[in-house]
C-alpha cells in the first residue's frame, strides 16, 4: 500500500489564483481530513469527510472547499488564494469512526504571494 | 470542547540525557490522548497513544507517556535521547466518542545535541 499520498509537494501561487491540492489513500479508509500547519499553531482541522459524498467543516474552513466523490480521493480546493493561506497542508485518513490512529500524508507546502 | 497546551515550544538537550515534553489538556468528557512525531520534511507519525487501561504507555523507540487524570496531563519522557530523536512532537486529544477530530497542541521541537 502507498498509504496516504499528496500532490504537489510544493506550490507557489499568486493572490487570487485557484488550485486543488490532491489527496488519495489506498487503504479503504472511510474518514479523511485536511489540516494546515502553521508555526506556533500546531495543526488545525480545515475540513473532514466521514465517507464518500459526506463532508463537514473543521476549525478553519473559510477559503477552502472539499468534495468526496470516491472513498479514495479527498481534494482540497482554494478558489481564490490569499497570502494568509500560505502554510503546510496535511491530509490524513482513518479506517472508520472511533478508530484511534490517523495516517498522515507527506504534506504540501503552499506559498501564496 | 477539548484543548491541548504544550508549554515548551523548544527543548534543547544533549545526547544521552533524559527529556520530558509536557502536555496538558482540558475536556468536559473522557478523552483519548496521543503523541505524534514529525521528523524534518515529513508528515506526522503516531508515537504512542492512551485509550484506556494502564496509564503508562510506551513506544517502540523508548519513549513513554503517563496519563494523569487528576492533573490532566500526558507528559512524554525518554530516559536517554539520541541524535535521531530530533523532531517536532505534537500532543493531541480527541473525545472518546470521535477520534477522527483530533485537537493538536502547538508542538514542541526537541533538538538533541552531540
Amino acid at each position: 500500500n502507498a498509504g496516504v499520498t499528496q500532490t504537489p509537494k510544493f506550490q507557489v501561487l499568486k493572490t487570487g489564483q485557484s488550485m486543488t491540492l490532491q489527496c488519495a489513500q489506498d487503504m479503504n479508509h472511510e474518514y479523511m481530513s485536511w489540516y494546515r500547519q502553521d508555526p506556533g499553531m500546531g495543526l488545525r482541522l480545515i475540513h473532514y469527510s466521514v465517507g464518500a459524498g459526506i463532508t463537514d467543516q473543521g476549525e478553519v474552513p473559510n477559503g477552502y472547499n472539499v468534495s468526496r466523490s470516491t472513498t479514495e480521493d479527498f481534494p482540497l480546493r482554494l478558489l481564490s488564494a490569499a497570502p494568509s493561506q500560505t502554510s503546510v497542508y496535511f491530509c490524513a485518513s482513518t479506517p472508520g469512526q472511533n478508530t484511534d490512529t490517523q495516517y498522515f500524508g507527506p504534506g504540501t507546502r503552499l506559498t501564496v504571494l | 470542547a477539548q484543548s491541548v497546551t504544550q508549554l515548551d515550544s523548544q527543548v534543547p538537550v544533549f545526547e544521552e540525557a533524559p527529556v520530558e515534553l509536557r502536555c496538558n489538556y482540558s475536556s468536559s468528557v473522557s478523552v483519548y490522548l496521543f503523541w505524534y512525531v514529525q521528523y524534518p520534511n515529513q508528515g506526522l507519525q503516531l508515537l504512542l497513544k492512551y485509550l484506556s487501561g494502564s496509564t503508562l504507555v510506551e513506544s517502540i523507540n523508548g519513549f513513554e507517556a503517563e496519563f494523569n487524570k487528576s492533573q490532566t496531563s500526558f507528559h512524554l519522557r525518554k530516559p536517554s535521547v539520541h541524535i535521531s530523536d530530533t523532531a517536532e512532537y505534537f500532543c493531541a486529544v480527541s473525545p472518546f466518542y470521535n477520534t477522527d477530530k483530533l485537537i493538536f497542541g502547538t508542538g514542541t521541537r526537541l533538538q538533541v545535541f552531540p
Side-chain angles (χ1 to χ4, degrees):
Chain A
N1 287 350
V4 180
T5 58
Q6 292 183 238
T7 57
K9 293 191 70 174
F10 302 95
Q11 182 70 50
V12 179
L13 294 177
K14 294 180 180 179
T15 297
Q17 286 185 313
S18 63
M19 81 157 296
T20 299
L21 308 185
Q22 301 292 345
C23 174
Q25 51 89 12
D26 61 358
M27 299 175 283
N28 202 32
H29 286 176
E30 288 294 323
Y31 280 66
M32 297 185 74
S33 310
W34 275 103
Y35 294 87
R36 59 178 290 172
Q37 182 181 27
D38 301 293
M41 302 188 74
L43 277 78
R44 293 179 292 170
L45 183 64
I46 304 171
H47 285 286
Y48 66 100
S49 168
V50 302
I54 306 170
T55 63
D56 205 348
Q57 296 181 348
E59 182 183 356
V60 287
N62 292 340
Y64 307 94
N65 284 345
V66 293
S67 60
R68 186 92 180 274
S69 56
T70 67
T71 299
E72 294 78 19
D73 301 298
F74 191 43
L76 179 71
R77 297 184 182 86
L78 285 71
L79 297 179
S80 179
S84 60
Q85 294 178 303
T86 293
S87 186
V88 181
Y89 291 85
F90 288 101
C91 180
S93 73
T94 61
Q97 191 169 16
N98 276 359
T99 302
D100 49 299
T101 301
Q102 293 208 14
Y103 297 82
F104 284 83
T108 294
R109 184 174 295 274
L110 175 68
T111 301
V112 183
L113 303 175
Chain B
Q2 291 73 41
S3 67
V4 178
T5 301
Q6 291 182 250
L7 290 173
D8 306 305
S9 60
Q10 295 187 63
V11 173
V13 64
F14 287 109
E15 194 171 22
E16 297 183 3
V19 70
E20 178 181 81
L21 307 184
R22 295 180 293 169
C23 172
N24 289 89
Y25 71 93
S26 68
S27 176
S28 58
V29 300
S30 296
V31 296
Y32 295 157
L33 293 155
F34 307 82
W35 276 99
Y36 280 83
V37 59
Q38 183 181 29
Y39 297 104
N41 301 313
Q42 295 186 27
L44 278 74
Q45 305 171 35
L46 181 67
L47 186 62
L48 47 77
K49 61 193 177 192
Y50 170 78
L51 305 180
S52 64
S54 172
T55 57
L56 184 66
V57 291
E58 299 178 350
S59 72
I60 59 174
N61 58 352
F63 282 94
E64 64 179 30
E66 186 162 18
F67 171 54
N68 188 319
K69 188 174 182 179
S70 63
Q71 297 187 8
T72 61
S73 68
F74 191 54
H75 301 330
L76 182 69
R77 303 183 182 94
K78 190 171 184 179
S80 176
V81 294
H82 303 288
I83 295 286
S84 59
D85 293 324
T86 294
E88 187 135 20
Y89 293 80
F90 292 92
C91 183
V93 63
S94 73
F96 72 96
Y97 53 82
N98 186 356
T99 59
D100 302 296
K101 293 181 69 175
L102 282 177
I103 305 299
F104 285 88
T106 53
T108 297
R109 174 155 180 77
L110 176 64
Q111 181 75 51
V112 181
F113 295 94

